[in-house]
Amino acid sequence: MKHLAWIEILNHHGDVKTRQPVYAWPLNIGRGYHNDVILDDPYIAPGHLEIQPAELGGYQLNILGDAPALTINQQRDLHQSTQVSAEDIIHLGKTSFRIRPIDYVVTSEMPIPKRAWLRPALGLFLGISLILLEYALVRWLNYTFEQKPKMLIIDMLDMLPWWSGFTWIGFWAALSRVEVGHPHIIKHATIATLGFGSIYLITDIYGYIAFALDAELVSVLTNLVLLPFITGFIVYRHICLASRLNRRKVGLLVAAVMIFNVGITELKDNWRSEDDFAQMIYSRTVGSPAMVLTAGETPAKFIADTKELKAITDESVKDEAVKNGSVKREPIKDESVQEKP
């Protein structure tokens, strides 16, 4: 028997899960075994819906008895009887489906791209190169010429696990596998390496500029605009790759979250006083709050001891320079002895 149309059952992403052929009209849909199409959905009645062709094209849908109404294309309007086309998606209970006639025109095939592997591999290579560039730049500026070869190798060995980066990429790859059926590991790794490599490099460059110059405008642009934008774009790209959500809605949601985060951070910094900052520095230097309490030290005592230690260190350096002959020690004047006129 020749079929007349297809009932396409869709998953929550809108992809076709199964197809049921239609051999005769009208077509009955429900949970009972007397129906032409049986849907295992507890929110669908045993005899729920009748479908038949409409006079002017499309299909006429009629709810049977007192079964719950249906919606079309995720709109809130409920329908007991309505007409749909082959492009409309019908939501019945928790099930979504559409009706496609046998003469429905599909799009033409897509050409297989040449060297399809090259583009994601090139992006991943650029991302890894960016992270290595930031790593080499920081070590080159932070160590002396004699220390550089040794420290470059030691720090590289320390960074080999990179567990946080692997965890981040693995999380998004696993989510992609569950939601869209493919992990997209290379693409997620490319997004992470390019994005976070840019953040690390910008942060380091900004740190050196802030150290050398009074760059308040650069600080505002970097911390309140550039870094939140890059972070939000990284999350946006991961979500778009790992789901079928509307990109516009995802973009608006990520932008709102980043703006809220920046606002909370600024509000928190404005409430924090200079004494709070000093206490934070003191606590990080000495240790945890428990260590601070058990040591019996106060911030004032800590700062005084630090100044005393600095004075001792400066004097020691000066003595060493005098011994080497690079600096001559000035004679100490006895102010109690007055010179004769």
Side-chain angles (χ1 to χ4, degrees), residues 100-144:
R100 290 283 167 87
I102 58 174
D103 58 351
Y104 182 82
V105 180
V106 298
T107 58
S108 58
E109 72 280 4
M110 296 178 60
I112 300 176
K114 297 180 180 179
R115 299 179 180 178
W117 58 270
L118 185 59
R119 183 176 178 183
L122 180 60
L124 180 59
F125 173 77
L126 292 176
I128 295 175
S129 300
L130 188 62
I131 291 178
L132 293 177
L133 172 64
E134 182 272 339
Y135 165 83
L137 176 64
V138 172
R139 271 67 188 174
W140 191 261
L141 294 174
N142 287 352
Y143 296 115
T144 62

Side-chain angles (χ1 to χ4, degrees), residues 70-79 88-89 91:
L70 57 85
T71 59
I72 306 297
N73 299 327
Q74 295 184 345
Q75 297 178 359
R76 296 184 177 181
D77 298 334
L78 300 177
H79 301 278
D88 293 323
I89 297 178
H91 303 278

Side-chain angles (χ1 to χ4, degrees), residues 6 27 34 47 68-69 74 87 92 97 103-104 112 128 140 151 153 165 177 189 193 219-220 256 268 298 316 322 334:
W6 291 93
L27 179 80
H34 63 280
Q74 295 184 345
E87 302 297 335
L92 198 66
F97 67 93
D103 58 351
Y104 182 82
I112 300 176
I128 295 175
W140 191 261
M151 297 309 299
I153 297 175
R177 181 66 180 86
T193 52
S219 174
V220 172
K268 180 180 64 177
T298 63
S316 176
V322 171
D334 188 357

Side-chain angles (χ1 to χ4, degrees), residues 27-302:
L27 179 80
N28 290 329
I29 294 179
R31 195 159 39 87
Y33 285 93
H34 63 280
N35 294 284
D36 302 301
V37 176
I38 302 172
L39 298 178
D40 294 325
D41 185 341
Y43 299 96
I44 291 179
H48 202 125
L49 181 67
E50 180 188 77
I51 304 175
Q52 56 186 345
E55 295 181 358
L56 301 178
Y59 302 93
Q60 177 69 36
L61 277 60
N62 298 312
I63 295 293
L64 300 175
D66 57 352
L70 57 85
T71 59
I72 306 297
N73 299 327
Q74 295 184 345
Q75 297 178 359
R76 296 184 177 181
D77 298 334
L78 300 177
H79 301 278
Q80 293 291 333
S81 178
T82 187
Q83 290 189 8
V84 296
S85 67
E87 302 297 335
D88 293 323
I89 297 178
I90 305 153
H91 303 278
L92 198 66
K94 295 291 184 179
T95 304
S96 301
F97 67 93
R98 63 191 175 204
I99 311 166
R100 290 283 167 87
I102 58 174
D103 58 351
Y104 182 82
V105 180
V106 298
T107 58
S108 58
E109 72 280 4
M110 296 178 60
I112 300 176
K114 297 180 180 179
R115 299 179 180 178
W117 58 270
L118 185 59
R119 183 176 178 183
L122 180 60
L124 180 59
F125 173 77
L126 292 176
I128 295 175
S129 300
L130 188 62
I131 291 178
L132 293 177
L133 172 64
E134 182 272 339
Y135 165 83
L137 176 64
V138 172
R139 271 67 188 174
W140 191 261
L141 294 174
N142 287 352
Y143 296 115
T144 62
F145 183 78
E146 292 78 11
Q147 294 174 320
K148 285 172 184 175
K150 178 181 177 181
M151 297 309 299
L152 284 173
I153 297 175
I154 292 176
D155 288 352
M156 177 64 75
L157 293 176
D158 290 339
M159 294 176 63
L160 276 180
W162 287 352
W163 297 120
S164 58
F166 292 151
T167 303
W168 177 269
I169 296 170
F171 167 77
W172 290 108
L175 186 63
S176 295
R177 181 66 180 86
V178 172
E179 292 294 324
V180 300
H182 193 284
H184 296 300
I185 296 177
I186 300 297
K187 292 183 179 180
H188 283 298
T190 301
I191 295 171
T193 52
L194 284 174
F196 289 110
S198 301
I199 289 177
Y200 297 152
L201 191 60
I202 291 171
T203 303
D204 292 332
I205 294 175
Y206 158 71
Y208 291 120
I209 293 176
F211 177 78
L213 304 172
D214 184 12
E216 184 177 354
L217 178 60
V218 176
S219 174
V220 172
L221 293 177
T222 303
N223 296 322
L224 301 185
V225 179
L226 188 56
L227 294 182
F229 173 79
I230 296 176
T231 304
F233 186 74
I234 294 172
V235 176
Y236 167 79
R237 290 297 300 163
H238 279 307
I239 294 177
C240 290
L241 192 60
S243 68
R244 302 292 180 83
L245 299 176
N246 182 275
R247 294 196 171 194
R248 182 172 178 272
K249 293 181 179 179
V250 172
L252 292 175
L253 177 62
V254 172
V257 170
M258 295 310 301
I259 292 173
F260 176 78
N261 183 60
V262 170
I264 291 295
T265 303
E266 282 298 299
L267 185 63
K268 180 180 64 177
D269 291 342
N270 290 333
W271 279 352
R272 183 181 290 132
S273 63
E274 295 182 0
D275 292 339
D276 294 331
F277 278 114
Q279 181 65 36
M280 288 171 57
I281 297 172
Y282 167 73
S283 299
R284 285 200 300 265
T285 306
V286 176
S288 63
M291 292 177 63
V292 174
L293 293 175
T294 56
E297 298 285 346
T298 63
K301 179 72 164 52
F302 173 78

